[in-house]
Amino acid sequence: MEVQNYFPVWNKLNTAHREQILGSLVTRTVKKGTVLHNGGDDCMGLLLIKSGQLRAYILSDVGREITIYRLFDRDMCLFSASCMMRSIQFDITIEAEKDTDLWIIPVEVYQSIMAESAPVANYTNELMATRFSDVMWLIEQILWKSLDKRVAAFLLEESRVEDSDTLKITHEDIANHLGSHREVITRMLKYFQNEGMVKLSRGTVELADKNKLEELSDE
């Protein structure tokens, strides 16, 4: 099993802990659009991504979404084991953005190892701190950056993630990532197109002038 190449502190585990993980792992392949975790009452276990892409987002009472972070190859998701973190007071949904291969580590196994292994406990705390920083960065963006700058920054980030200037993404998808409305995003993208920054077609946004987008996002 390849998990030892993906678990960051594997070499710091003792033999018993390694055997616990290997004996309890669940291997799963999920299709794009699959919801893996939905709220605080859902506690499926920790997700370790072999390949693919996941999105963690929160959902408002009126149904608006906003992405709080994304997960890629070799990332671990703690919030899918939210019952481990009793102080978390908001519900997070985790969805596959692409077809994804992953392992699930059961909560009770991970908690048992974390209680006995300082490296695992330290790694978990570092991971929590990283996610907290992601959320704080998002709050800063919402509070201090106008939507046009956030849209420009998102398009540039998406281009880096996909390694392409042609993005297969809908206006509604962008709105969901940014916590906005589709109609607002459509107007913003049309403005970008008029300014020569993007070219729009059905289900596609092409970055036509990345320099202009970068200038806008950095203002």
Side-chain angles (χ1 to χ4, degrees):
M1 191 173 288
E2 303 170 78
V3 67
Q4 55 266 34
N5 298 321
Y6 290 78
F7 195 83
V9 291
W10 184 265
N11 292 333
K12 297 180 180 179
L13 296 177
N14 61 36
T15 302
H17 291 156
R18 292 179 183 180
E19 289 177 352
Q20 270 185 279
I21 291 175
L22 291 175
S24 63
L25 273 182
V26 176
T27 302
R28 190 170 172 189
T29 298
V30 296
K31 294 293 186 182
K32 176 181 177 180
T34 301
V35 173
L36 291 158
H37 172 81
N38 192 15
D41 295 330
D42 186 357
C43 198
M44 68 182 300
L46 290 90
L47 307 180
L48 182 57
I49 302 173
K50 182 178 179 182
S51 64
Q53 186 172 313
L54 304 181
R55 168 184 174 234
Y57 64 92
I58 52 177
L59 189 65
S60 74
D61 291 340
V62 295
R64 287 172 61 186
E65 301 174 6
I66 186 166
T67 299
I68 55 173
Y69 61 84
R70 297 157 103 181
L71 297 157
F72 304 95
D73 298 4
R74 297 179 181 274
D75 280 341
M76 180 180 280
C77 182
L78 289 177
F79 286 107
S80 53
S82 53
C83 54
M84 276 184 16
M85 299 165 283
R86 300 295 183 184
S87 58
I88 298 296
Q89 299 297 315
F90 54 91
D91 291 336
I92 294 175
T93 302
I94 298 164
E95 180 183 15
E97 282 196 299
K98 296 181 179 179
D99 293 350
T100 301
D101 293 323
L102 53 83
W103 291 285
I104 303 172
I105 304 174
V107 172
E108 61 276 10
V109 171
Y110 194 86
Q111 279 185 308
S112 172
I113 294 173
M114 189 169 63
E116 299 172 1
S117 171
V120 172
N122 291 337
Y123 168 68
T124 305
N125 289 334
E126 289 171 6
L127 204 53
M128 284 293 295
T130 298
R131 298 302 169 224
F132 179 73
S133 296
D134 291 339
V135 173
M136 290 305 299
W137 178 87
L138 175 63
I139 291 172
E140 288 178 355
Q141 297 296 302
I142 295 170
L143 289 176
W144 311 121
K145 263 197 169 183
S146 58
L147 184 60
D148 59 343
K149 294 178 176 60
R150 292 177 60 213
V151 172
F154 173 78
L155 293 175
L156 291 167
E157 178 193 6
E158 193 73 6
S159 175
R160 287 189 290 270
V161 168
E162 299 297 334
D163 194 24
S164 174
D165 291 344
T166 301
L167 307 177
K168 301 292 185 183
I169 191 168
T170 67
H171 298 185
E172 186 168 1
D173 289 336
I174 298 172
N176 287 340
H177 277 291
L178 299 178
S180 185
H181 295 285
R182 180 184 57 78
E183 296 80 4
V184 175
I185 296 299
T186 295
R187 288 197 297 271
M188 189 69 67
L189 290 174
K190 286 180 177 177
Y191 164 73
F192 282 10
Q193 181 168 250
N194 291 337
E195 293 296 312
M197 290 185 277
V198 303
K199 293 179 182 177
L200 303 176
S201 56
R202 187 174 182 84
T204 301
V205 179
E206 180 183 347
L207 278 58
D209 192 332
K210 294 174 79 171
N211 288 333
K212 277 189 177 181
L213 288 168
E214 286 169 357
E215 288 172 6
L216 175 59
S217 67
D218 291 337
E219 284 179 2

